[in-house]
Each structure stands twice: as C-alpha cells, then as structure tokens.
Amino acid sequence: MSAGKYRKEHNCLNCGSHVEKHYCSNCGQPNLELKESFWGFISHSIAHYFHFDNKFFQTLTPLLTKPGQVTLDYLAGKRARYINPVSMYIFVSIVYFIVVPKASVEGDRSKHQTKLERKQIERATSKLIDTSINGENNVVSGIAKTAINRINSNISISEFKDLTFKKQEKAIADLKSKSKTSDFNADLLEEYNKFHIIKQDSTYTSYLNRQAKLSANEKDNWFQRTLKKRDITVNQKMVSGWTLKEEIEHYRPKQYFLLMPILAMFIMIIFRKNKKYYLDHLIFTIHGMTAYFIEEIITSPIKKHVFGLDSATSNFIGVIVFVAIVWYIYKALKLFYNRSRSATIWKMFQVVILYAITLVITEKIISETIYYFIA
C-alpha cells in the first residue's frame, strides 16, 4: 500500500508527540499530509479496511502451500507480515458466501427443456427399439421399452405438478381408463393421486373441508393435522420459488462461525497432550477454515460455469479437491502438533467424525427451526 506524502513537520497530529521519522513512536500513526487525491483516499480506505496490501499475499501463499506454518509463525510472534486471522476469515467468508452457494446449484429446468428432453429420449430409445425388433432381440426391446416408460414417468410427474387442480383431475381420469391394461400406468396413477391431494390441500381451510367429509376413523388426529398445517405452509412458499435448501444456506455463515469454537474444542481435547492453550487451537482452526473457503471460492465457479456441475471433469475436480483437503488437514495437524504419522491420521479421523456429526445435528436443528417458525 502506498504511504502517500509525508509531512515535513515532526509533531504527531494524533497525540502531539515528536515524530522522528515517518511514524509516531507513541501512537503509531503515520505522519502523512492531510490533503490527498480522491482516488488516493479511496484506494487507501479500501486497502486499510480489507488489508489488500502485501500482507494479504504474504498470508495467502503460505496459508495454502504450507499447512499449519502461518499459525506457528503467528503464535511465535511473527505477526507483522500476516493479516490478523479473524480479519482475513471475515473477508474471505463474505466472498465465500456470495460466490459458492450460487455456484453449487444448477438453474431451474424450464418447461421447454422438459419437452426437449422428452423428444430426445423418445428418439434415442425408439431407435434402440427398432434395432432390437429388426434383430429379433425381444429381451433388449423389452428393456428399452421399460426404460423409456420409467423416464417418461418421471417427466410426466414433473409436468403434472404444474397443472391446475381441474387439469390434474382430467389427467387422472384419462389415466384411469388406461391403468387396467398396464402396470406402468397404475404406478403413475398412484403418483398422480399423491400430488393431486397436495394440490387439493393448497390451503389449510381446504384441507379441513376435505377432512370434514371423511368418517371418524379416516380423519387425521391432532398431531397429523399440526404436521399437515406446517407442510401446507411450506408448499405454499415453495410455489413462489422458496426451497428449504436455499433457506438453510442463508444460515450457513452463522453455522460455520459458531461451529469453529466447537471444532477448536474437539481439537484441544483430542490433542490435549500437547498442552496448548485453547486460543492456539482456535487460531489454528480459523486458518484452516479460511484455507478451505479460498479453495471453494476458486474451484466452485469453475466447475459450474466452465465444465458444468454434472460433467465428468467437474466430478474429477471434486475428487481432486477432496484429496487436497484431506492432505491439507493431515499436513497442518502433523506440523502444528508434531505427532507421528499414525497418531496424526488417527486423531484427524476423530476430529473429522466429531465435526461431521456436529454439522449434521446443527443442520437438522436449523431445518426444524425454520419449519417451526414457518408454521
């Protein structure tokens, strides 16, 4: 970061002490001229807030390439070259939660895509059937017909969900006339009826009206009605594009932030023979999470926008990333805690298992809390 133009006067404008060179020995403020250009002011402000100077890259490079070394240096007092762990984590996590969630979900399938997919499947499978019949291979022909029926069933259900209540009734009536001659149609009819009830119970009032027409034995009990009310509320929100997965992602920053102290506690317990302070474990954890966020910021957009999330290349990148993360954790733990290879691997396994269990439990708590407050 450019220092700007230093003042000729030797009095500190902040505390009034005498300034020998460029910085006040009493309060540390640089002895700079007050007047500066607009772009100088903007660049200095951004650099100061986000620490976008040499410190960022002096921290970033060893953080990614020398697992555990930055933490060792920081705790040994070599801090002038590095950004404060919490400051760097906050900045990196902001970028992570802007970039990664959007790069982890494919776009919604349009109706045009569904119809196009159906046509492509029908053309490809019909060729297989024709080839099978011409070659008098009835076994292959039967497998091909079963496959296309199953695929078409999934597409039909997707289209059925988008129909109005009246059109769903008509589709069910048409299918009932065919269901007597085909097990496939009978299975599809069962799926249609299930989603038709969901459409019928689009409001809690309509659900209660349907319940009123049932006999005492067929009616839902109090607990079932409570669950149904919650499900109807959720379905109404889903119609407008809401999903539970997206809602959980909104809470992900808080979840990861609150889990860091817990992860540090797990590490402290498992590596208790090292007799390090809890704060040492916490700084180690913060550095590790920051490195993970940076890796995801780099690879997630590439997988989605360059290769596609479901491509073989993206899957291969995912495998490489997983191996790299395991290697990073192992190297960081081994360097920082100075244990043998076997001891490090065993303790790493314990840490990962405990953290995974905690992650699942907290995500379940978040999802249930969301459901509770929605209803």
Side-chain angles (χ1 to χ4, degrees):
M1 180 175 67
S2 175
K5 186 178 180 181
Y6 289 103
R7 298 170 64 241
K8 295 180 181 180
E9 295 80 3
H10 295 280
N11 62 308
C12 177
L13 296 176
N14 182 53
C15 66
S17 300
H18 181 75
V19 180
E20 290 292 340
K21 292 185 178 181
H22 299 318
Y23 293 88
C24 176
S25 59
N26 184 51
C27 67
Q29 176 171 290
N31 192 29
L32 296 173
E33 291 283 358
L34 295 179
K35 294 181 180 180
E36 59 181 332
S37 66
F38 172 77
W39 291 113
F41 169 75
I42 296 298
S43 61
H44 292 164
S45 299
I46 294 175
H48 177 74
Y49 186 79
F50 292 114
H51 295 273
F52 260 96
D53 53 11
N54 291 335
K55 279 189 175 183
F56 181 82
F57 296 101
Q58 288 175 357
T59 307
L60 179 65
T61 303
L63 182 67
L64 297 178
T65 59
K66 299 178 180 179
Q69 187 61 52
V70 174
T71 310
L72 284 175
D73 289 346
Y74 188 85
L75 295 177
K78 302 175 182 178
R79 303 182 179 185
R81 73 185 75 170
Y82 298 129
I83 297 177
N84 179 275
V86 176
S87 298
M88 188 169 188
Y89 171 82
I90 291 174
F91 170 67
V92 171
S93 64
I94 290 172
V95 178
Y96 174 87
F97 291 110
I98 292 175
V99 174
V100 175
K102 293 181 179 179
S104 303
V105 182
E106 290 282 14
D108 294 335
R109 293 155 55 92
S110 63
K111 293 182 180 180
H112 174 72
Q113 288 176 313
T114 303
K115 291 180 180 179
L116 182 62
E117 185 182 54
R118 180 190 288 277
K119 290 181 180 179
Q120 290 173 340
I121 292 171
E122 287 177 348
R123 282 198 297 267
T125 315
S126 63
K127 288 182 181 180
L128 178 60
I129 294 174
D130 293 340
T131 303
S132 305
I133 294 175
N134 293 335
E136 297 182 356
N137 190 337
N138 293 329
V139 175
V140 176
S141 177
I143 294 173
K145 288 179 180 179
T146 301
I148 194 172
N149 284 342
R150 180 55 56 192
I151 294 170
N152 281 333
S153 171
N154 293 332
I155 296 176
S156 297
I157 292 171
S158 178
E159 294 174 343
F160 181 81
K161 292 178 183 178
D162 295 330
L163 296 177
T164 63
F165 184 77
K166 291 294 183 182
K167 289 184 178 180
Q168 282 187 353
E169 282 187 331
K170 185 177 183 303
I172 290 174
D174 293 340
L175 195 59
K176 279 183 179 179
S177 61
K178 303 175 183 178
S179 62
K180 297 179 181 179
T181 60
S182 172
D183 292 337
F184 158 71
N185 285 331
D187 293 339
L188 186 60
L189 179 61
E190 183 178 348
E191 292 295 317
Y192 276 13
N193 282 324
K194 181 172 67 176
F195 288 106
H196 185 57
I197 291 175
I198 294 175
K199 179 78 76 171
Q200 182 181 12
D201 295 338
S202 57
T203 65
Y204 189 61
T205 302
S206 62
Y207 163 72
L208 293 178
N209 291 335
R210 185 172 65 84
Q211 285 286 303
K213 299 176 183 178
L214 301 176
S215 63
N217 293 332
E218 295 175 323
K219 289 181 179 179
D220 293 339
N221 57 38
W222 172 84
F223 181 70
Q224 291 172 322
R225 289 197 302 272
T226 302
L227 293 179
K228 189 67 177 180
K229 183 179 180 180
R230 187 182 70 174
D231 291 341
I232 290 172
T233 305
V234 171
N235 288 331
Q236 288 174 334
K237 292 180 68 68
M238 291 178 68
V239 170
S240 60
W242 178 91
T243 63
L244 179 61
K245 182 178 179 180
E246 291 179 355
E247 190 71 19
I248 290 176
E249 289 300 326
H250 293 159
Y251 291 88
R252 194 75 71 187
K254 298 176 183 177
Q255 181 188 17
Y256 283 163
F257 185 78
L258 293 175
L259 283 183
M260 273 200 307
I262 298 176
L263 177 58
M265 182 185 66
F266 290 155
I267 296 175
M268 182 182 69
I269 294 172
I270 292 172
F271 287 92
R272 58 188 175 275
K273 290 184 179 180
N274 286 78
K275 297 180 180 179
K276 292 180 179 290
Y277 293 108
Y278 173 76
L279 184 60
D280 298 348
H281 301 289
L282 182 60
I283 294 173
F284 174 80
T285 303
I286 292 173
H287 279 145
M289 288 296 294
T290 303
Y292 168 72
F293 284 170
I294 293 172
E295 171 275 319
E296 286 292 303
I297 291 170
I298 295 172
T299 59
S300 294
I302 294 175
K303 288 193 291 184
K304 178 176 181 178
H305 300 295
V306 178
F307 302 108
L309 290 180
D310 295 329
S311 67
T313 305
S314 290
N315 292 333
F316 177 73
I317 292 174
V319 173
I320 296 299
V321 168
F322 175 77
V323 173
I325 291 173
V326 173
W327 173 86
Y328 187 96
I329 296 173
Y330 165 75
K331 295 291 289 185
L333 290 172
K334 192 173 189 306
L335 178 65
F336 189 71
Y337 294 101
N338 195 25
R339 296 295 189 91
S340 66
R341 179 183 300 176
S342 58
T344 302
I345 293 174
W346 169 238
K347 291 181 180 299
M348 179 183 71
F349 177 77
Q350 295 178 60
V351 171
V352 171
I353 292 297
L354 286 173
Y355 184 73
I357 293 173
T358 308
L359 195 66
V360 171
I361 292 174
T362 52
E363 187 160 312
K364 182 65 175 177
I365 293 172
I366 291 172
S367 63
E368 290 300 319
T369 303
I370 292 171
Y371 269 121
Y372 175 80
F373 283 106
I374 282 177

